[in-house]
Amino acid sequence: MNASSAMLLVLAFPIAGALLNAFFGRRFAAGSGWLATGCAAAALATGAPAALHALRGTELSVKAWTFFATEGLSVDVAFRLDRLSAVMFFVVLGVGTLIHLYSIEYMAEDRSRPRFFAYLNMFIAFMLVLVLADNLFMLFVGWEGVGLASYCLIGFWYERPEPRKAAVKAFITNRIGDAAFLLGLLFLALLTGTASFPDIGRFFAQSDPDFLRAPVSFFGRDLVSMPNLIALLLFLGACGKSAQFPLHVWLPDAMEGPTPVSALIHAATMVTAGVYMVARLDPVFVRAEATRELMLGIAVLTACGAAVAAWAQVDLKRILAYSTISQLGYMMAAVAVGSRGTAIFHLATHAVFKALLFLGAGSVMHALHGELDIRRMGRLAKRIPGTTATFIIGAAGLSGVAFTAGFYSKDAILVSVGDHHPFAAALLFLGALVTAIYSTRMVVVAFFGASDRLDHHTAERCHESGAIILMPLILLAIGTLVVGHLPIPGLLGEEMKEHGGWIVAASTFGPILAIIAAAFFYWKRVPEDSAVALFVRSGFGLDALYERLVLEPVRALARWTTVILDRTGIDSVAHGLAAATAALGDSMRVFQTGNLGHYLGYLVLGVVVLIWAVLK
Amino acid sequence: MIVNAYSVEALAAALFCIGLAGVLIRRNLIVVFVSVELMLNAVNLNLVALTRRADLLVPVEGDAVALFVILLAACEVAVGLGILVALYRRFGSVAIEDVGRLKE
């Protein structure tokens, strides 16, 4: 089997798995999880050789068929495997397969398992389309597809109102970004006259820099240059997908979905699509200095703000959600300074340790029958030691403890950002300290601490999860220790920079000191509901603000259109027309006597009128 | 006696008006029917008279048309009387207000 057909087979496996589970899943409900896991693993096995080749530098490009062709623009259903997409391939399918496996036990008691696994495989298929896309439009297909899968999976337990609301919120928030994103794609295709990534790269390499710097005229006013405009629109799309301020509000609510979904979609893979897209369209962003300044500002704001918000959460999954937003801010900061190697490096390490943390949180939920409030946990370490051990490794990776995954990648990002903007790097370093603090707080309050706050009933039934849940946890824990040593930035053409002793010292000992301090502080303390804590916990009141500024005006407009415009305006026109017609008909009824003589009279009258009209 | 074509046309018009009045006024359908025949024959008379007139811009061969109308009238009588018989069987009357079902 040659490499091209292997690549198409990679896509065929999850699609087949999704369709089989969707149509026949009910007949083998118990096996649906194994089927889905098998499809993900088969895709990984089939694509791995080609992806390894690609990592060594052999690029592979497959054209399946022509998507559409118009005058001047021809778009193919085509896929490419280069170093960037190969890294993403391993992240998506490596982490994805483990999460599929984990879900088998996690979802064992849900009767809609086939639907769950069909969605999960559908997500994998679209995510692969996204990362393997060879042109803008295939990227967009994958981009929207994973959004759909995310919507379906957040709202998986649609009988309850919260998941429904969260799913709609996620979808609509993403729509806002996607509208700009699509506009950006179209402008880019318009500017370059092509959709394929290599051709776009060539276009920017060969174009006259003055031409690219020329400002765009809009209603007679000069705006930013074309690359800046395109980059800005694309970045807005990335803001929605990768949960950057101000479009990040959907991600904490997305935790209403099943925990494996939070791990796979809302931590490891889909939310990183924005970062991947910016890395992929590097040629555009390189020529958009002004937009990159803005991106860096928003990324730093997101990274630090979300870290502080995570500090105040009491719900285990919401801590992790805000932490994900914060870490995505780090990746976005890296691509904003043009360092896509370190961004993808952090993307990969984050995928591993954050998936581990989410799956660990899922295991805790399993043990405690759905309990997520860390104030009602405490001393879990002795009850569920396996989960605790792996969770601590994940938290260490997140905090950036020396020699774990996050240590290397976060360090690399701080150094790259520091080269351009020392101040931004300093803020990100502070954010990293806060990261270490909230990670420690999470671990200490939930798993250790002085008090056991479980209620009697839960404590009695508390149990360690089974082997199928523990195995992915252990594998991901090993991954957290290993993945930081992979030469991913080097693969993407970036030399790891040597840096001075004080930076090494700060990034090595800073998090450790923060961890020790936080551990002492939280050992005997349970988070309280002070006014400040409640405000920060609500995400700095942004949801309430959006409610005021956006939702209420929209609802008022909707009410106005229904009551005033529709009912009194349009409806009264329609009703009036009907009433007028009926009245006219009533007035004509007097002529319809049913008497033949009368009718003959009308006939003669009509003839007389006609003759008069002709002879007049 | 040579009859003036104009007098014949005047007679035809008079007959037509009598027939029309009969159609509009009489309540018995048979009489209405006879009035229709009267109107048809008024037209025939008119056609024949027009043929005799020499002062028309376009010569009219009214005789032939009159023959067609006579033929048509014969057919009409056959059908119309049949309908009248059927109406009588259905309603027991041929008075115009008794067969007024068109309103329903």
Side-chain angles (χ1 to χ4, degrees):
Chain A
M1 185 172 60
N2 64 10
S4 309
S5 45
M7 205 156 139
L8 294 178
L9 206 57
V10 165
L11 289 164
F13 274 119
I15 293 173
L19 292 177
L20 280 174
N21 260 334
F23 289 112
F24 309 109
R26 294 221 165 265
R27 300 205 188 143
F28 47 87
S32 60
W34 289 106
L35 172 76
T37 311
C39 283
L44 179 61
T46 329
L52 285 173
H53 269 293
L55 284 181
R56 283 195 216 101
T58 326
E59 291 193 1
L60 178 66
S61 178
V62 186
K63 178 191 161 179
W65 63 82
T66 302
F67 190 178
F68 60 87
T70 59
E71 205 171 322
L73 181 68
S74 173
V75 178
D76 296 331
V77 174
F79 305 99
R80 66 183 292 101
L81 198 53
D82 53 14
R83 283 182 166 148
L84 181 57
S85 43
V87 173
M88 292 301 288
F89 172 87
F90 282 117
V91 169
V92 171
L93 280 178
V95 177
T97 306
L98 288 179
I99 293 173
H100 273 72
L101 181 66
Y102 174 98
S103 307
I104 295 174
E105 186 178 323
Y106 189 83
M107 299 299 285
E109 277 152 35
D110 199 300
R111 53 188 178 78
S112 321
R113 261 169 313 177
R115 184 163 60 91
F116 178 80
F117 284 105
Y119 286 156
L120 221 51
N121 263 356
M122 175 177 90
F123 169 76
I124 291 284
F126 278 122
M127 194 67 207
L128 286 173
V129 170
L130 197 163
V131 299
L132 297 177
D134 183 55
N135 56 54
L136 299 173
F137 293 94
M138 290 310 290
L139 178 82
F140 189 68
V141 169
W143 185 277
E144 293 298 324
V146 291
L148 169 68
S150 159
Y151 167 79
C152 292
L153 283 164
I154 295 171
F156 180 72
W157 286 315
Y158 56 82
E159 291 94 345
R160 291 190 295 122
E162 295 89 359
R164 291 201 298 265
K165 267 182 96 172
V168 171
K169 184 174 178 183
F171 204 72
I172 292 177
T173 314
N174 268 300
R175 274 300 64 51
I176 297 168
D178 287 358
F181 180 59
L182 183 58
L183 211 58
L185 290 186
L186 293 176
F187 274 144
L188 184 54
L190 208 65
L191 176 72
T192 59
T194 174
S196 106
F197 294 132
D199 291 346
I200 289 173
R202 270 192 286 281
F203 173 87
F204 279 101
Q206 290 163 0
S207 289
D208 180 10
D210 288 336
F211 165 71
L212 289 177
R213 266 198 291 273
V216 184
S217 186
F218 186 74
F219 286 115
R221 199 179 297 179
D222 281 351
L223 293 178
V224 287
S225 73
M226 198 67 186
N228 264 317
L229 177 66
I230 293 171
L232 182 66
L233 291 169
L234 294 176
F235 174 62
L236 273 173
C239 271
K241 192 88 19 206
S242 290
Q244 297 296 294
F245 178 85
L247 296 180
H248 65 279
V249 289
W250 64 274
L251 190 59
D253 287 9
M255 297 301 126
E256 289 292 343
T259 306
V261 171
S262 311
L264 178 62
I265 301 185
H266 305 118
T269 53
M270 184 192 83
V271 287
T272 61
V275 178
Y276 167 77
M277 183 271 293
V278 178
R280 176 55 86 188
L281 293 173
D282 197 38
V284 189
F285 284 89
V286 165
R287 279 160 191 80
E289 270 90 15
T291 302
R292 279 166 49 202
E293 295 283 316
L294 176 73
M295 280 170 70
L296 184 64
I298 286 186
V300 171
L301 178 66
T302 310
C304 297
V308 174
W311 194 353
Q313 302 300 316
V314 290
D315 176 310
L316 193 54
K317 281 180 77 179
R318 284 181 87 88
I319 297 176
L320 295 173
Y322 274 106
S323 159
T324 304
I325 297 175
S326 163
Q327 298 301 306
L328 288 166
Y330 280 87
M331 298 174 212
M332 206 52 96
V335 282
V337 296
S339 168
R340 63 180 198 148
T342 56
I344 298 296
F345 184 32
H346 194 55
L347 190 162
T349 58
H350 173 258
V352 175
F353 65 68
K354 191 51 72 62
L356 170 59
L357 286 170
F358 265 116
L359 296 186
S363 180
V364 170
M365 279 173 81
H366 218 235
L368 302 185
H369 301 278
E371 183 59 64
L372 270 173
D373 193 333
I374 56 171
R375 290 172 300 186
R376 289 199 287 272
M377 296 181 188
R379 292 213 169 158
L380 292 180
K382 60 180 162 53
R383 296 179 200 274
I384 43 173
T387 306
T388 308
T390 50
F391 198 87
I392 289 171
I393 294 177
L398 173 61
S399 318
V401 173
F403 310 115
T404 59
F407 171 68
Y408 297 101
S409 53
K410 204 176 292 175
D411 219 29
I413 287 180
L414 291 181
V415 172
S416 325
V417 174
D419 280 351
H420 296 77
H421 275 271
F423 180 62
L427 284 177
L428 287 178
F429 179 70
L430 285 180
L433 294 185
V434 176
T435 307
I437 292 171
Y438 72 67
S439 308
T440 313
R441 168 180 177 269
M442 169 172 75
V443 170
V444 168
V445 174
F447 294 92
F448 297 99
S451 56
D452 185 342
R453 299 176 299 279
L454 286 179
D455 67 72
H456 180 67
H457 188 61
T458 318
E460 234 168 40
R461 293 194 298 164
C462 179
H463 60 92
E464 179 65 286
S465 303
I468 297 179
I469 283 188
L470 283 180
M471 193 159 67
L473 290 181
I474 292 165
L475 287 174
L476 285 169
I478 295 170
T480 303
L481 299 175
V482 170
V483 69
H485 301 272
L486 298 177
I488 294 176
L491 278 176
L492 296 169
E494 245 175 77
E495 290 302 313
M496 291 296 280
K497 294 177 195 79
E498 293 291 320
H499 39 78
W502 67 272
I503 296 183
V504 176
S507 66
T508 310
F509 296 112
I512 292 177
L513 290 176
I515 287 171
I516 293 170
F520 270 112
F521 186 80
Y522 283 108
W523 198 267
K524 288 190 175 166
R525 236 172 276 225
V526 178
E528 287 158 15
D529 288 343
S530 66
V532 180
L534 283 177
F535 174 70
V536 179
R537 192 176 301 161
S538 71
F540 301 99
L542 268 180
D543 272 333
L545 187 70
Y546 288 173
E547 178 82 26
R548 268 290 181 69
L549 288 184
V550 184
L551 294 182
E552 277 176 12
V554 169
R555 285 198 201 106
L557 182 69
R559 255 195 308 280
W560 182 81
T561 39
T562 17
V563 177
I564 309 285
L565 192 68
D566 192 46
R567 278 191 207 138
T568 57
I570 295 170
D571 279 9
S572 47
V573 170
H575 289 163
L577 267 176
T581 314
L584 190 66
D586 275 346
S587 67
M588 300 302 275
R589 281 177 71 157
V590 293
F591 296 105
Q592 197 189 4
T593 55
N595 188 324
L596 200 57
H598 294 165
Y599 293 170
L600 283 170
Y602 304 148
L603 179 73
V604 171
L605 204 65
V607 172
V608 169
V609 169
L610 279 179
I611 290 173
W612 174 78
V614 170
L615 295 183
K616 184 176 58 149
Chain B
M1 183 179 83
I2 297 168
V3 182
N4 191 339
Y6 293 104
S7 334
V8 177
E9 279 174 26
L11 175 64
L15 281 176
F16 187 86
C17 289
I18 291 166
L20 187 57
V23 166
L24 291 182
I25 293 162
R26 297 307 295 261
R27 293 171 53 227
N28 189 322
L29 273 174
I30 296 177
V31 181
V32 170
F33 199 63
V34 170
S35 306
V36 171
E37 291 300 316
L38 197 60
M39 286 162 78
L40 280 171
N41 284 307
V43 172
N44 279 346
L45 210 52
N46 201 8
L47 285 167
V48 175
L50 280 173
T51 317
R52 286 299 179 135
R53 266 174 57 177
D55 55 346
L56 293 176
L57 283 173
V58 184
V60 177
E61 292 295 334
D63 306 9
V65 184
L67 277 175
F68 276 113
V69 174
I70 290 164
L71 187 72
L72 205 75
C75 301
E76 191 218 325
V77 167
V79 177
L81 285 179
I83 292 174
L84 281 178
V85 171
L87 276 179
Y88 184 76
R89 282 191 184 152
R90 178 82 175 72
F91 295 103
S93 153
V94 286
I96 206 161
E97 63 269 19
D98 291 339
V99 294
R101 278 267 177 109
L102 287 176
K103 197 176 178 180
E104 286 140 36

